[in-house]
């Protein structure tokens, strides 16, 4: 700290850095796929979906806690850590994460288009294009970092508040939901894999960790704060998932049947409209668009951060690469014919299939490579939990690969 920097200013900077990482991770997770997955599975499973939410949150806590902490200790981004631990593993992880990030970002732009359609009646492809151009504008700004942080925090708070309003209005059967959180009528592995993938799969869990790296909030001296930030990020997404589930459960329990299969299917929009009529549809549009635009930004930012595995990059070159990434995502979205709702569910599952690979590498680093963590002996209890979750995600991925690709009719 320089002599001209007061302790209070330094603390404010630290808080701002951790808050930015929390919201980058949370808003990357709370995207249109998250919303559409929740609506789809609530309509299919009813109150039993509460168990899948609880299971996913427990898995998410273990995954994110270990990846964020090990990233802070190694002071390297995920691909660099993987290459240092197992030569070549970082390149594989980078390629998979960027492919998953591209798939997710196509879904995010699709979601932004659906949001603008609900708000203004715009054609989803036109709405998606406008939203992608707005996201590009963030990275072309001379104050891209500050604009990134503030837009994510503001839009994140907005969508959470609006979803709470709908949850209260829809009058869900809370007692049944609480019972089935622990004693479900049915357990569905593809559902759990998909929503885990939509929360910490693929690029998502690395988004906040890499933001902390960019802000220099790493090392053993920041480990306690990194731990709190990682848990807070998952808590925010868990609360949002459960509130959104209750909002849609109230509609489904009232006897409303949601369209899940047609080309124009938008189950979350139908649920919001059933709860609050035309105003519900407009609120849904705002929530979905805010979720989508923040996820477009988060997916692009994090996916491009993995390019350092292949080349050195300045801040300017990263911003340019991020703009190109968003542009490619937009081009793919305009070209494809897959129904947006089906695509949004599929990409969560796809990232859930990528998750075990990165988690395996990080678990190995925690157990066997203290040299990469500055000699730090990593917490053994957390590593045992990580190994258990790692095995579980491999098993769930094996059980789920067929049903996940079936979302696209493949």
């Amino acid at each position: 700290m320089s002599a001209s920097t007061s302790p209070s200013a330094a603390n404010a900077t630290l808080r701002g850095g951790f808050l930015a990482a929390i919201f980058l991770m949370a808003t990357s997770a709370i995207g249109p796929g998250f919303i559409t997955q929740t609506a789809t599975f609530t309509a299919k499973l009813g109150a039993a979906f509460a168990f899948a939410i609880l299971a996913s949150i427990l898995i998410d806590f273990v995954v994110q806690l270990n990846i964020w902490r090990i990233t802070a200790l190694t002071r390297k981004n995920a691909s660099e850590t993987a290459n240092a631990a197992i030569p070549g593993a970082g390149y594989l992880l980078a390629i998979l994460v960027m492919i998953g990030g591209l798939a997710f970002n196509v879904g995010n732009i699709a979601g932004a288009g659906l949001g603008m359609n609900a708000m203004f009646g715009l054609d989803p492809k036109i709405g998606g294009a406008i939203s992608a151009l707005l996201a590009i504008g963030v990275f072309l700004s001379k104050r891209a970092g500050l604009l990134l942080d503030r837009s994510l925090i503001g839009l994140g708070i907005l969508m959470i508040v609006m979803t709470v309003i709908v949850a209260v209005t829809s009058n869900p059967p809370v007692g049944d939901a609480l019972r089935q959180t622990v004693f479900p009528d049915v357990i569905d592995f593809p559902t759990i894999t998909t929503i885990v993938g939509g929360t910490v799969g693929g690029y998502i869990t690395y988004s906040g960790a890499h933001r902390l790296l960019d802000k220099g909030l790493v090392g053993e001296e920041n480990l306690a704060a990194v731990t709190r930030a990682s848990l807070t990020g998952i808590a925010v997404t868990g609360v949002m998932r459960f509130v959104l589930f209750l909002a849609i459960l109230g509609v489904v329990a009232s006897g409303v049947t949601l369209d899940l299969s047609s080309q124009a299917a938008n189950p979350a929009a139908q649920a919001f409209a059933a709860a609050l009529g035309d105003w519900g549809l407009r609120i849904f549009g705002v929530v979905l668009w805010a979720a989508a635009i923040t996820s477009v930004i988060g997916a692009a930012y994090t996916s491009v951060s993995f390019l350092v595995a292949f080349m050195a990059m300045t801040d300017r070159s990263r911003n340019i690469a991020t703009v190109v990434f968003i542009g490619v995502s937009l081009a793919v979205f305009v070209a494809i014919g897959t129904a947006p709702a089906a695509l949004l569910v599929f990409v969560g599952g796809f990232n859930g299939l990528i998750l075990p690979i990165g988690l395996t590498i990080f678990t190995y680093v925690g157990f066997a490579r203290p040299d990469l963590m500055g000699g730090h002996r990593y917490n053994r209890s957390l590593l045992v939990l990580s190994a258990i979750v790692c095995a579980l995600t491999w098993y769930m991925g094996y059980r789920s690969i067929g049903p996940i690709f079936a979302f696209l009719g493949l």
Side-chain angles (χ1 to χ4, degrees):
M1 188 193 316
S2 69
S4 60
T5 304
S6 69
S8 60
N11 288 336
T13 300
L14 285 173
R15 284 194 301 271
F18 284 114
L19 192 63
I22 289 167
F23 271 88
L24 178 60
M25 177 270 148
T27 54
S28 293
I30 306 171
F34 178 106
I35 292 171
T36 306
Q37 293 158 20
T38 303
T40 300
F41 294 133
T42 302
K44 286 183 175 180
L45 301 176
F49 183 48
F51 174 80
I53 294 173
L54 176 62
S56 73
I57 290 171
L58 295 175
I59 292 170
D60 296 344
F61 272 129
V62 174
V63 172
Q64 179 146 302
L65 185 59
N66 282 290
I67 288 178
W68 279 38
R69 283 168 55 92
I70 292 172
T71 297
L73 289 168
T74 62
R75 301 172 184 262
K76 294 179 173 65
N77 82 15
S79 55
E80 293 174 308
T81 297
N83 267 339
I86 306 170
Y91 300 125
L92 173 64
L93 183 62
I95 290 169
L96 289 173
V97 167
M98 287 189 288
I99 291 172
L102 179 64
F104 226 112
N105 227 26
V106 173
N108 291 334
I109 294 173
L114 290 173
M116 293 196 84
N117 174 261
M119 284 191 287
F120 308 119
L122 276 179
D123 181 284
K125 289 194 174 181
I126 294 174
I130 292 171
S131 303
L133 292 175
L134 287 173
I136 286 171
V138 169
F139 291 99
L140 291 178
S141 167
K142 292 181 179 178
R143 305 183 71 187
L146 181 63
L147 190 58
L148 170 67
D149 293 343
R150 289 186 176 176
S151 61
L152 292 175
I153 292 170
L155 289 169
I157 292 171
L158 174 67
M159 61 185 170
I160 291 171
V161 169
M162 287 194 152
T163 306
V164 168
I165 292 171
V166 178
V168 171
T169 305
S170 72
N171 193 29
V174 176
D176 189 30
L178 290 175
R179 178 185 65 81
Q180 296 212 50
T181 300
V182 182
F183 301 108
D185 291 342
V186 62
I187 297 175
D188 190 287
F189 281 113
T191 295
I192 297 171
T193 301
T194 297
I195 63 175
V196 167
T199 307
V200 293
Y203 74 92
I204 296 173
T205 195
Y206 305 108
S207 58
H210 285 186
R211 192 66 181 147
L212 291 177
L213 278 177
D214 286 347
K215 290 181 172 291
L217 300 174
V218 293
E220 197 163 350
E221 66 274 16
N222 284 308
L223 196 58
V226 168
T227 298
R228 288 194 299 271
S230 67
L231 295 177
T232 302
I234 292 299
V236 169
T237 58
V239 169
M240 178 65 174
R241 175 86 73 180
F242 206 79
V243 169
L244 181 62
F245 156 69
L246 289 176
I248 295 166
L249 181 63
V251 171
V252 172
S254 72
V256 174
T257 300
L258 303 182
D259 174 16
L260 303 178
S261 58
S262 76
Q263 180 72 18
N266 194 344
Q270 298 166 48
F272 275 57
L276 288 173
D278 189 58
W279 274 107
L281 188 61
R282 301 291 176 260
I283 289 174
F284 165 79
V286 174
V287 170
L288 186 66
W289 184 82
I293 194 72
T294 52
S295 293
V296 168
I297 292 168
Y301 168 87
T302 310
S303 298
V304 168
S305 74
F306 277 81
L307 280 176
V308 299
F310 304 97
M311 67 188 78
M313 302 186 76
T314 64
D315 287 346
R316 175 170 169 74
S317 62
R318 274 183 59 172
N319 285 345
I320 291 171
T322 306
V323 167
V324 172
F325 187 89
I326 296 173
V328 171
S329 304
L330 175 60
V332 173
F333 164 64
V334 170
I336 63 173
T338 305
L343 177 66
L344 291 171
V345 176
F346 165 75
V347 292
F350 182 78
N351 278 287
L353 299 176
I354 295 173
L355 171 63
I357 297 171
L359 184 58
T360 299
I361 295 168
F362 272 79
T363 304
Y364 165 72
V365 170
F367 272 117
R369 298 299 304 270
D371 57 307
L372 297 179
M373 300 182 287
H376 179 87
R377 187 178 188 276
Y378 197 79
N379 185 295
R380 265 20 195 187
S381 297
L382 289 179
L383 282 176
V384 169
L385 288 174
S386 185
I388 293 170
V389 168
C390 190
L392 180 61
T393 55
W394 278 112
Y395 173 73
M396 290 194 308
Y398 168 74
R399 286 284 304 271
S400 307
I401 188 167
I404 285 169
F405 276 88
F407 286 126
L408 290 183
L410 299 178

